Amino acid sequence: MARHLITSALPYINGIKHLGNLVGSQLPADLYARYLRARGHEVMFICATDEHGTPAELAAAKTGEPVADYCARMHGEQSALARGFGLSFDHYGRSSSDRNRVLTQHFAGRLADAGYIAEVSEKQVYSVDDGRFLPDRYIEGTCPNCGYDKARGDQCENCTKQLDPTDLIDPRSAISGSTNLEVRETKHLYLRQSALKDRISAWIDSKTDWPILTTSIARKWLNDGEGLQDRGITRDLHWGVPVRRGDQPWPGMEGKVFYVWFDAPIEYIAATAEWADANGKTDADWRRWWRRDEGAEDVTYTQFMGKDNVPFHTLSFPATLIGSGEPWRMVDYIKSFNYLTYDGGQFSTSQGRGVFMDHALEILPADYWRWWLLSHAPESGDSEFTWENFQQSVNKDLADVLGNFVSRITKFCRSKFGETVPEGGSYGPEEAQLIEALTTRIRAYEATMQGIEVRKSAAELRAIWVLGNEYLQSAAPWSTFKTDPDRAAMQVRLGLNLIRLYAVLSAPFIPFAARAMLEAMGTADDRWPDDVAAALAALPAGHAFTVPDVLFAKITDEQRAEWEERFKGVRQ
RNA sequence: GGGCCUGUAGCUCAAUGGUCAGAGCAGGGCGCUCAUAACGCCUUGGUUGGGGGUUCGAGUCCCUCCGGGCCUACCA
C-alpha cells in the first residue's frame, strides 16, 4: 500500500464551470483517486475553489453582493455540482480560508527572508471612476495597428498584435467605460524566479516521464528570451490575502493583497489543513502529506490540470516551495490536458458557450458525462464535443454493451431460476478461456490506469465489458438450459458474478451505475479482482439478487435534437 | 513575429525506426433470440496533409510547404 496525494487544478469561483473545465482536471483526477483507493492505497484527494482576483470582485459587483458573500455562495454551488458529478474529494476547500491566508503569508515571509522577494515600483493604469488599478486586459481602446475599436490593453484580438495599455488610442475602462484614466506609481513584490531558474530547470530535467505537453511548456518559459522572469506576486485589490511578511506587517505594502496565482497553489496545502480542521484531525495529520520531514517522504504527489495552468505548476509554485527553504513535498507527476472544444469552437465561461455542469446534470445522469468525457479526454490534442458523437458513444458503450449485458443475464436468470444465484454445474474450457482473457485485459487496464492513460483505460474497460457479451453468446445458456440445466445454471452464475466484477472495475469511471449494479447484486463486496477466478465466485449459489432498472436509458434522436438546439447559443 | 502541439479509414483514435498501418463507431452481409431492435461472427474502407531527404527499412527521424490548435509572462 502506497500513499498518494492528488490535487486537481482549482476551478475559479466566478460562475458554473463547463465540461471543458471538468475534463481538464477534476474528472481525471477523480478517476485516478477512485482507482487508487480501489487498489487499497491511502489517498488524499484535494481540490478547492480559487476565489481571489479581479474577476471575482467584478462578478460580485455585478450581482450586488459583497465579494465574500458571493464567493461563499458560489463555493456552495460548485461544491454541490462536484458532488453531483461524483467527484470524490477528501476535501473541497476555499482559497479564501484562514488556513490559506496564514500559509500564504508564511511563504511570503520565508521567501523574503531568503532573499527571493524584490520590491519594484512600477507605473500602472488607474481608473479614477472605478476606484481601482486596471489589469492590462481590462483596458479597452482602438488598436494603433489595425484600428479595431475593442482592442485590449495586452493584445488586439483582431490583429493579434501585442500591446501596452498606453499604445491604445482613446483608452477606456473595460469595466465602466470610463475614460478618466491615469497612470499611477505603485509598489509591488516580485518573486525572484530568475534566481531560482537553475534549480527549477534541473528539477524539470529530472522529470523524464512527464507528458511532453507539460515539460515543453515549462522549458519554453525557462529558456525563452532572457529566460525565466521574475513575477509580480501582489496586486492593488481589496479581495485577497493581505500582504504580510509572515505574521509581521510589510511596511509599504499596506492595503495590498497577494496575487491570486501566488496564493492559489498554496491552497493545495491549506485545503489539506482545512480537511484536518473539518474532520477533527491534528496538524500532524495533514503535515504528513506535505512535509518531507514529518512523514511525506513516501508520498507520491500527482497534479491534474489543463495546459493553461502548466506554467504556474511547473515554475511559480515550485519556485515558492524551493525558495522557502523548507522541506515541502514537490509534485512527482503533472498530468496536463488539452482543451475540449464545443461544436467547432471553444467552450467559454465568459461567453456562456457550451454545456455547463449544472445543465449537464439537469438533462442526464453524471455517469453519461463522466464516461464520454473520460473516454474522449483531450490527452494528445484538443478533442471535440458534438452531440452526435456523444449520443452514439454513450448509447453504444453504456446502454448496449454494459447496460444490456446486465439486463439480459439478470432477466434470463429470473425467468429460469428466479432471483437467486443458481446452483449446479462446473466450469469447462470455455470458462477457463474467459477467465484467462479477463485476466489479460484486467492487467492491461491496471497498467493504463496506473499510467493515467485515460482514453486507453476507457478502451480497455469497454473491451472487458465486451468479453461478457461474447461469452454469453457462445455459452448460450438459453440453449443449454433445454438440454443441460446444470450447465446453464453455471453459465448464469458466472454471468451474475461478471456483473459484480464489472461494477468494481467500472466504478472509477461510472461510480453511480457501479453502485446500482452492486446493490442489484445484493452485495457490498467491492474487492479488486487480483484473482479473477476467485472474484467470479464472490456471489455463491443461493445468493439473492434483484433485476435492476434499466441502467442506462438511451439518448433518443429527439432528445439530441432538443439539446442541440437548447445549447447552441449562449448561456441564459 | 517567436515557441510548442497536431494532421493516419466517413467519424473518434492506436501503432519502442522493423510482419500486410490497427481498434471502436458508422456502412454491408450472416447468425442468435436471453436482452434496452439489444448481442455475436464475418466484411467494405487508408498514396498515414503535399513534396524532398536520411536508412537495408519511415506514419515514426531531418528539411520544406499547406492546414488546425495552443501559449507568448498584468485574466485566471
Side-chain angles (χ1 to χ4, degrees), chain A residues 31-102:
Chain A
L31 178 78
Y32 193 52
R34 284 177 178 273
Y35 172 72
L36 292 175
R37 287 194 200 103
R39 298 306 307 277
H41 300 301
E42 188 182 358
V43 171
M44 178 60 71
F45 179 24
I46 291 294
C47 193
T49 40
D50 177 15
E51 304 190 0
H52 295 140
T54 308
E57 287 192 336
L58 297 181
K62 214 171 175 179
T63 68
E65 291 160 283
V67 62
D69 293 359
Y70 171 82
C71 288
R73 182 170 63 79
M74 290 310 299
H75 175 81
E77 282 190 32
Q78 295 208 16
S79 195
L81 287 169
R83 273 194 302 279
F85 272 93
L87 302 175
S88 60
F89 307 130
D90 288 288
H91 193 74
Y92 193 53
R94 302 183 58 187
S95 69
S96 61
S97 68
D98 278 346
R99 284 291 198 172
N100 197 37
R101 178 180 53 76
V102 171

Side-chain angles (χ1 to χ4, degrees), chain A residues 90-144:
Chain A
D90 288 288
H91 193 74
Y92 193 53
R94 302 183 58 187
S95 69
S96 61
S97 68
D98 278 346
R99 284 291 198 172
N100 197 37
R101 178 180 53 76
V102 171
L103 210 46
T104 298
Q105 292 168 345
H106 166 80
F107 274 110
R110 291 288 307 190
L111 289 164
D113 293 347
Y116 290 120
I117 298 288
E119 297 189 9
V120 177
S121 256
E122 54 194 15
K123 291 183 183 347
Q124 277 192 358
V125 174
Y126 184 84
S127 169
V128 177
D129 293 336
D130 292 307
R132 63 162 67 233
F133 282 93
L134 296 176
D136 289 356
R137 72 166 44 196
Y138 283 96
I139 302 159
E140 280 180 356
T142 300
C143 174

Side-chain angles (χ1 to χ4, degrees), chain A residues 544-565:
Chain A
F545 70 93
T546 53
V547 174
D549 293 334
V550 168
L551 271 184
F552 299 100
K554 289 200 189 190
I555 297 170
T556 64
D557 292 344
E558 290 70 32
Q559 286 176 310
R560 188 190 94 189
E562 184 198 325
W563 297 333
E564 218 156 13
E565 183 63 25

Side-chain angles (χ1 to χ4, degrees), chain A residues 296-343:
Chain A
E297 199 60 72
D298 67 336
V299 167
T300 301
Y301 178 21
T302 307
Q303 292 176 342
F304 290 79
M305 68 196 67
K307 58 186 166 185
D308 52 331
N309 275 328
V310 168
F312 302 99
H313 288 78
T314 52
L315 307 167
S316 309
F317 187 41
T320 300
L321 296 180
I322 293 172
S324 76
E326 296 173 327
W328 295 97
R329 175 82 253 170
M330 301 273 286
V331 67
D332 292 294
Y333 190 80
I334 295 181
K335 177 75 178 180
S336 54
F337 290 86
N338 288 281
Y339 290 146
L340 182 69
T341 61
Y342 182 75
D343 272 334

Side-chain angles (χ1 to χ4, degrees), chain A residues 12-29:
Chain A
Y12 196 66
I13 193 71
N14 68 339
I16 306 297
K17 299 295 107 176
H18 54 64
L19 298 182
N21 298 129
L22 185 62
V23 74
S25 52
Q26 292 167 291
L27 197 50

Side-chain angles (χ1 to χ4, degrees), chain A residues 178-345:
Chain A
S178 167
T179 55
N180 191 6
L181 308 179
E182 51 190 54
V183 175
R184 289 190 183 179
E185 182 112 350
T186 180
K187 191 164 76 172
H188 282 298
L189 302 182
Y190 272 67
L191 175 59
R192 296 182 55 223
Q193 298 184 140
S194 56
L196 291 158
K197 184 194 166 207
D198 290 345
R199 290 167 73 180
I200 295 170
S201 200
W203 176 68
I204 293 288
D205 285 343
S206 73
K207 305 301 183 185
T208 53
D209 62 335
W210 283 11
I212 182 132
L213 182 64
T214 307
T215 49
S216 65
I217 292 173
R219 289 216 169 83
K220 158 74 172 159
W221 283 59
L222 280 165
N223 303 322
D224 194 40
E226 294 158 35
L228 186 60
Q229 300 296 297
D230 296 343
R231 189 159 192 128
I233 58 162
T234 55
R235 292 290 184 272
D236 288 297
L237 295 175
H238 302 294
W239 176 239
V241 174
V243 175
R244 288 177 72 89
R245 184 168 176 157
D247 53 8
Q248 300 298 309
W250 204 310
M253 299 304 292
E254 295 82 4
K256 297 174 193 277
V257 301
F258 286 107
Y259 175 42
V260 55
W261 261 116
F262 183 67
D263 78 63
I266 295 171
E267 168 65 9
Y268 292 141
I269 305 172
T272 316
E274 293 171 52
W275 161 84
D277 296 340
N279 291 282
K281 309 281 187 184
T282 65
D283 279 348
D285 289 323
W286 71 261
R287 292 176 76 89
R288 67 189 275 274
W289 288 99
W290 283 103
R291 288 289 294 230
R292 298 198 313 276
D293 56 339
E294 297 178 47
E297 199 60 72
D298 67 336
V299 167
T300 301
Y301 178 21
T302 307
Q303 292 176 342
F304 290 79
M305 68 196 67
K307 58 186 166 185
D308 52 331
N309 275 328
V310 168
F312 302 99
H313 288 78
T314 52
L315 307 167
S316 309
F317 187 41
T320 300
L321 296 180
I322 293 172
S324 76
E326 296 173 327
W328 295 97
R329 175 82 253 170
M330 301 273 286
V331 67
D332 292 294
Y333 190 80
I334 295 181
K335 177 75 178 180
S336 54
F337 290 86
N338 288 281
Y339 290 146
L340 182 69
T341 61
Y342 182 75
D343 272 334

